[in-house]
Every structure is written in C-alpha cells, then in structure tokens.
Amino acid sequence: MDRADVGALVRSAAGGDAAAWRSLVDGLGPLVWSVARSHGLSDADAHEVYQTAWFRFAQNLERIREPEKTGAWLASTARNESLKLLKAARRWTPTDDPHLLDRPSEDPTPEESVLDSEEAADRSERVRRLWQEFEELGERCRQLLRVLIASPPPSYQEVSAALGIAVGSIGPMRQRCLRRLRARLESRGTA
C-alpha cells in the first residue's frame, strides 16, 4: 500500500466510508501487529496494543494532518503502547520465590491493629484510673509526688525548700504516698 493510497483511504474513512476503514485495517494491521510483537509482548498484550493503537487512530481520525503518514503514526502509537505495557509489567512481576512470598509485611495485620488499639485503650484507661486515684490522695502526698515526677527531677534539697519538708523525711514520705496510691488502685482492681 503506497502513501497516496493510504492518504485517500484515511480521508474516505474520516468521511464515514466503512470499506475504506476495512482496507486501512487490512493494509496496515500487519505493521501494527509486527511493532507490538517486536517488543517481545505476549499474544494477549500484543492484541491489547493492536486494539489500543487502532482505537487511538479512530479517536484522532479527523485530526490527522498528514493522512499519507498514517502508517508511521500507527507504528509510533503501537510502539508507545508497547512500552507502556512493558513498564507496567516491570512494576508487577509474578513470582513463585518462597523467600519473597513468605516475607513478613511491615504493615500490621488487621488482627494486630485491633490488638494494638485494644492495648492502647487499656493503657489509656489505666492511666485515667491512676490519675483519678491520685486525686483522692491527701494534699501533701499529691504535692510531693507532683514535684518528684518533674523532669528533670529536682534534688531533695530543692524539694525540701519548695515544700518545707526535711530532706531526711522526703524518701519515707514518698514511700508512704506511693503505698497508699497502690493500695487504692488494688482495692479498685487496678494493679
């Protein structure tokens, strides 16, 4: 099929001539097929490229400025579609390698996510109960424990100056306050 014939067929096909369209497909189909197959595509992928190239041609039929160069246009389109398929195939390569298939995921499973959220909720509830029981301690214990949990922790001399407690009494008082807090928590079933 020479260029002049191709140009005339394209113009006729653009005008709605079904016979001209069939002649184009019959005459240029082997070219499109050979371009797709030259990229080493499987039969199914080559068929997909073939169909896509003709579909794109049909979409652009009335806009083609040089109908005589339709063969080059189809070959270029088939090439681009083949390269697109090859690029997509490189992203998803099937394998039967057991080392790849059995590799643990870095994402948590749904079960692990549920367990993690339940543990977080449980931790949150324990912390809420701890602070609830803390607020029930006497004022002196609350003051001492709040000062001692500061970051960075103050020295016993600083605690003594801030709260008016003898340095030697801070440790024993701290122990008594923590024992009371623990006893309150245990009596409520929170250890």
Side-chain angles (χ1 to χ4, degrees), residues 97-109 112:
D97 182 356
H99 297 293
L100 289 176
L101 295 174
D102 293 338
R103 186 176 64 192
S105 171
E106 294 174 14
D107 296 331
T109 65
E112 290 170 333

Side-chain angles (χ1 to χ4, degrees), residues 32-33 36-37 41-56 77-86 88-89:
V32 175
W33 182 253
R37 294 300 289 171
L41 299 174
S42 67
D43 283 345
D45 288 343
H47 279 289
E48 184 175 337
V49 166
Y50 182 86
Q51 294 295 325
T52 303
W54 283 106
F55 176 71
R56 299 247 188 273
T77 302
R79 178 182 174 277
N80 291 337
E81 292 300 322
S82 296
L83 293 175
K84 250 192 252 183
L85 263 176
L86 289 170

Side-chain angles (χ1 to χ4, degrees), residues 5-25 28 52-71 73-74 77:
D5 291 340
V6 169
L9 288 171
V10 169
R11 283 187 277 284
S12 294
D17 185 351
W21 179 260
R22 274 193 300 279
S23 294
L24 281 171
V25 173
L28 297 174
T52 303
W54 283 106
F55 176 71
R56 299 247 188 273
F57 179 66
Q59 285 179 315
N60 294 290
L61 186 59
E62 295 176 4
R63 288 181 284 209
I64 293 182
R65 285 185 241 141
E66 298 178 82
E68 296 78 24
K69 295 183 179 178
T70 295
W73 191 96
L74 282 166
T77 302

Side-chain angles (χ1 to χ4, degrees), residues 122-139:
D122 187 45
R123 262 192 315 276
S124 177
E125 179 60 20
R126 283 195 314 257
V127 168
R128 187 190 65 73
R129 286 186 198 147
L130 171 71
W131 284 109
Q132 187 177 21
E133 294 304 325
F134 178 85
E135 290 301 321
E136 298 297 321
L137 291 175
E139 180 66 28

